[in-house]
Amino acid sequence: MRRVAVVRNTHTCLGRPKIMSGSTPSVVVVGGGPAGCATGVFTARYGLETTILDRGSSSLRRAAFVENYLGFPAGIDPETFYDLAHDHAREAGCDLVEDMVVEVTDASEGFRVETQDDRVLDADFVVAATKYDWQYLDALPVDFVDDGEYEQFDSSLVEQDGATPLDGLYVAGPNAGVPDQVLVAAGHGAHVGRAIIADVRRADGYEGTFAEHYDWLRREENLTGEWATRERWQEYLDDAPDAPDDDELRERYIDDRFAKYLDEDEREERKRNAHRRLADHLDLGEELTD
């Protein structure tokens, strides 16, 4: 085991996850609700091998209607929202599996995840994104049980970005101490996804601000002036205190910057495709046109 410790009331996550050698870093997300799917969208889009295990018991399914999620002026029914979230996770590259996790154990490299249907998955990172039934973490060398009047998850052991005292184990959503709202849970899941990506980038050799990855796209017409040249970016890396010394990492960083720009034709194509995908999930019967 990487560290044998029963830790309470600490806010220090020591060391870095040991990423399995010779393979793409892998992430197993337990729970396919808003927090879990948001985490998966970010990690999968970065290229991490991401599996979301969901038995369909997200607390979102207990809601009658969601009226405060940004972007849905008249609200959204939980069933449609759930389908949209899963469609997005799959589109990002997640493997979404209907199964229940029964135990997560600490392995020499990463974690071993066992499920009700006898699946066994090895993972560099595990994200606990379930509000209920978190006892699958009991075999880990950290006690997450709050010894209060009622047995509940001890969110005091979780950092703002979802990190826990056990390297590579993250918590996303309400059990991390964030408010129990769909929009907030999804936002926290995204925060956790970015924290995992930063861990991977640090393992690759990026440090400081260069370990942060921003997943957004820009308009090509804004790529002008000196910053439109590789030479200017190379000068920037020469002066930045946290910039990697490795030439390959530097070139990869510059390539990633330029890859974020889209021309007008590609933006319009993506817009049309996005609208079609949304329409696939909507009931557009005649009764809605009255």
Side-chain angles (χ1 to χ4, degrees), residues 178-195:
V178 301
D180 194 3
Q181 296 282 308
V182 179
L183 182 58
V184 179
H188 187 255
H191 192 24
V192 170
R194 293 189 68 242

